[in-house]
């Protein structure tokens, strides 16, 4: 069983099931990437693991502990950080205020963690007094990731962190995500830039219609002619 594991997940939003026996996992210090067509259920799988969705079947475990009964807030306390696909920063608040909001569950001081976030994303230190809404798309994504890091999570879940950014900014963000993984945090990420994401992935999951279609190392998926032709544009 993986450090973070959503196993045999079946469920949806109350109507027909979206996920069908879907299994996703990631180890400490590793990057797992979920790819697949639009509407495949990638975001739904992330929400299920974060507890935003009632599962009819399946289990979610973190570090061997069954967390399936916990609310999203309780999962944050248990060590999960989640950056949703949309509306992931408070645009009217400054960068620093966004990071402070991220620390809401901390009962100890969080200054040191904020310093770590500023070391990882130096531009955020420079712009700490600016409203997040005034930043570029790539910088806002850094705020969103930084905010999730403020709880000192054991696992970081990112839903399309590079959506809408240029290829250069995407490369920079992926480098930062590699840095975060190197600190021992498990990273589970949904990406529409499938090829580039699989290049940095220890493990990749191709989802289609809520089901696991291919599961392998990032390198093996990139080398698989069928995966390339069908999901990576040749
Ligand atoms: N809040 C919701 N309520 C009902 N259906 C939803 C909701 N969010 C997504 N869906 C449906 O679930 C399916 C999977 O969506 P999603 O997980 O967002 O796909 P992906 O992230 O892979 O593009 C789609 O058919 C979508 O219409
Ligand atoms: Mg999505």
């Amino acid at each position: 069983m993986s450090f973070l594991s959503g196993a045999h997940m079946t469920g949806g939003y109350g109507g027909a099931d979206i996920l069908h026996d879907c299994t996703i996992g990631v180890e400490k210090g590793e990057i797992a990437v979920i790819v697949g067509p639009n509407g495949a259920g990638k975001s739904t799988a992330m929400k299920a693991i974060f507890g935003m969705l009632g599962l009819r079947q399946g289990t979610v475990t973190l570090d061997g502990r069954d967390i399936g009964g916990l609310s999203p807030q309780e999962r944050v306390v248990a060590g999960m950080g989640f950056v949703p696909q949309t509306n992931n920063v408070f645009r009217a608040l400054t960068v620093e205020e966004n990071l402070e909001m991220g620390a809401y569950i901390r009962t100890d001081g969080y200054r040191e963690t904020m310093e770590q976030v500023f070391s990882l994303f130096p531009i955020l230190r420079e712009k700490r007094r600016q409203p997040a809404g005034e930043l570029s798309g790539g910088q806002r994504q850094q705020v969103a990731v930084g905010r999730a890091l403020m709880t000192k999570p054991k696992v970081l879940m990112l839903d399309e962190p590079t959506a809408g950014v240029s290829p250069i900014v995407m490369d920079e963000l992926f480098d930062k995500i590699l840095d975060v993984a190197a600190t021992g945090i498990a990273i589970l990420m949904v990406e529409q830039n499938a090829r580039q994401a699989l290049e940095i992935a220890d493990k990749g999951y191709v989802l289609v219609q809520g089901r696991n279609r291919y599961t392998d190392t990032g390198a093996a998926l990139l080398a698989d002619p069928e995966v390339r032709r069908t999901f990576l544009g040749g």
Side-chain angles (χ1 to χ4, degrees), residues 206-234:
V206 182
L207 294 195
V208 178
Q209 294 184 349
R211 290 184 167 84
N212 292 102
R213 173 69 65 88
Y214 298 97
T215 302
D216 213 323
T217 63
L221 291 174
L222 282 169
D224 184 324
E226 182 70 29
V227 173
R228 295 172 69 96
R229 186 154 42 83
T230 318
F231 299 102
L232 305 177

Side-chain angles (χ1 to χ4, degrees), residues 37-44 46-47 85 159-160 190:
N38 253 335
K42 305 182 296 296
S43 292
T44 303
M46 297 284 267
K47 289 186 218 167
Q85 188 170 350
D159 195 346
E160 301 208 7
V190 171

Side-chain angles (χ1 to χ4, degrees), residues 31-35 187-191 197-198 200-201 203-205:
I31 299 176
V33 171
I34 307 174
V35 301
I187 308 244
L188 178 61
M189 168 164 92
V190 171
E191 260 301 333
L198 288 173
I200 64 161
K203 193 144 198 201
Y205 296 88

Side-chain angles (χ1 to χ4, degrees), residues 117-129:
V117 170
F118 285 151
S119 315
L120 183 66
F121 300 121
I123 191 73
L124 298 188
R125 186 198 303 278
E126 239 172 80
K127 307 219 163 191
R128 66 186 181 280
R129 310 246 187 268

Side-chain angles (χ1 to χ4, degrees), residues 145-175:
V145 174
R147 190 160 66 85
L149 289 173
M150 289 300 292
T151 57
K152 292 214 268 187
K154 298 176 193 160
V155 304
L156 181 61
M157 297 175 42
L158 309 164
D159 195 346
E160 301 208 7
T162 68
V165 308
S166 70
I168 291 172
V169 173
M170 176 188 72
D171 282 345
E172 284 171 5
L173 266 170
F174 282 168
D175 279 346

